[in-house]
Amino acid sequence: KKRKSEYNYIISLLKYNKFGTDTKKWSRYLAARSIEFSHTERMVTELTDKTPFTKVLVANRGEIAIRIFRACYDLGLRTVAMYSNEDINSLFRIKADEAYLIGENKSPLGAYLDIPSIIDLAKRRGVDAIHPGYGFLSENADFARACEEAGIKFIGPPSNVLAKMGDKLSAKAIAKKCNVPTIPGSTEPLKDADDALEKATSYGFPIILKAAAGGGGRGMRRCDTPEEVKPAFDLVSSEAKKAFGNDDIFIEKFLVEPKHIEVQILADEHGNVVHLGERDCSLQRRYQKVVEIAPAFSVPQEIRDRLCADAVKIAKEVGYVNAGTVEFLVDKSGSYYFIEM
């Protein structure tokens, strides 16, 4: 009973990272409370060994950051917020243990895409993990690689996996390798607006222009006529550059009124991959999901099973680690196509 009480006491201390793995401080602290350190040394070692990091910087803003801070608090992790000039009065910056200005001379979006400044801040403040949230740098392989080179844990897939799956064109190539259908479209970034118009004419309208490094519905424009292609190309390229720091865009045949079905997967570092079922994300506004319904009862069970199996297949093929979402479109005939991860 005494040992169990001591164990629970140490867990409560570890939750707030009292002394980390400093055994001398632990020994003095516990001796002052009449707890013999030899009884608890193993527990301290085991429990601290299970915590790969203790201080997390969130490279994002708004509610995304607040949710991560809340989860870190529950895990007893210290948190660091970064904010642009424009966000100096935003709520999220006071929800972290520490908060620092980033990208002082940059645009509101540019501040959150400034990889060298973010890594420098993390080093100066003793951060050992960075959570990118979603959007911004969350699918940026260069950012993940910069974290790895700095000895900071990137909370997400490894950089080599992001390089393959964060870019939609590369991801489509991997899906094809797995014999998973993809929508007809360009396999390389478009050179210019004339190249886009030429390919759009060959595929037949309607078509859609997409940011290769995009996500969250950003950097996408539908075109129904040749006259719409060049203006849309400039808009998508500009939006992609501002939102993702990469202005590569590509073209796909636009599917009219498809079902947008997503499969959530989880993968560990030992090659184990599971799916958590599928959801219907077809109800959207400006390519942003409004309502997600699970299970996706609008699609036959046989197709849903195949989508889940293909999602796991793609994740295993690329050696995926962490949480991920594999997205598909299902047309009116029941044919389905991988679009991105």
Side-chain angles (χ1 to χ4, degrees), residues 19-33:
F19 301 123
T21 55
D22 190 327
T23 54
K24 289 184 178 179
K25 287 185 178 179
W26 273 107
S27 181
R28 289 195 298 269
Y29 186 84
L30 295 173
R33 284 151 183 79

Side-chain angles (χ1 to χ4, degrees), residues 81-244:
M82 51 175 245
Y83 59 92
S84 66
N85 278 309
E86 291 73 15
D87 283 329
I88 195 166
N89 295 316
S90 294
L91 179 64
F92 77 91
R93 62 164 291 201
I94 65 171
K95 294 295 184 180
D97 295 309
E98 305 171 34
Y100 302 98
L101 179 66
I102 194 89
E104 190 170 358
N105 299 315
K106 292 188 175 289
S107 67
L109 287 176
Y112 295 100
L113 297 172
D114 189 348
I115 295 175
S117 294
I118 295 171
I119 296 297
D120 179 63
L121 172 63
K123 286 181 175 179
R124 285 189 287 109
R125 304 316 306 175
V127 166
D128 46 20
I130 294 179
H131 197 313
Y134 60 83
F136 289 130
L137 295 170
S138 62
E139 297 181 23
N140 188 303
D142 291 335
F143 183 51
R145 190 176 301 110
C147 291
E148 292 164 359
E149 291 172 354
I152 298 169
K153 179 68 176 177
F154 177 80
I155 302 178
S159 60
N160 65 315
V161 174
L162 275 179
K164 298 173 184 176
M165 299 307 292
D167 182 278
K168 290 184 176 67
L169 290 173
S170 172
K172 286 178 66 175
I174 290 166
K176 287 181 180 179
K177 185 179 178 182
C178 295
N179 295 316
V180 177
T182 60
I183 301 172
S186 56
T187 57
E188 298 289 337
L190 296 169
K191 299 174 185 175
D192 49 35
D194 291 330
D195 186 26
L197 181 58
E198 181 182 339
K199 286 183 168 58
T201 304
S202 67
Y203 295 136
F205 291 91
I207 58 91
I208 187 166
L209 296 172
K210 291 184 175 182
R218 302 292 299 277
M220 299 170 68
R221 288 288 189 282
R222 172 182 174 175
C223 300
D224 294 301
T225 65
E227 291 74 24
E228 295 175 327
V229 175
K230 289 189 176 182
F233 179 91
D234 293 335
L235 284 170
V236 172
S237 180
S238 175
E239 187 174 349
K241 183 67 174 178
K242 288 179 181 177
F244 311 111

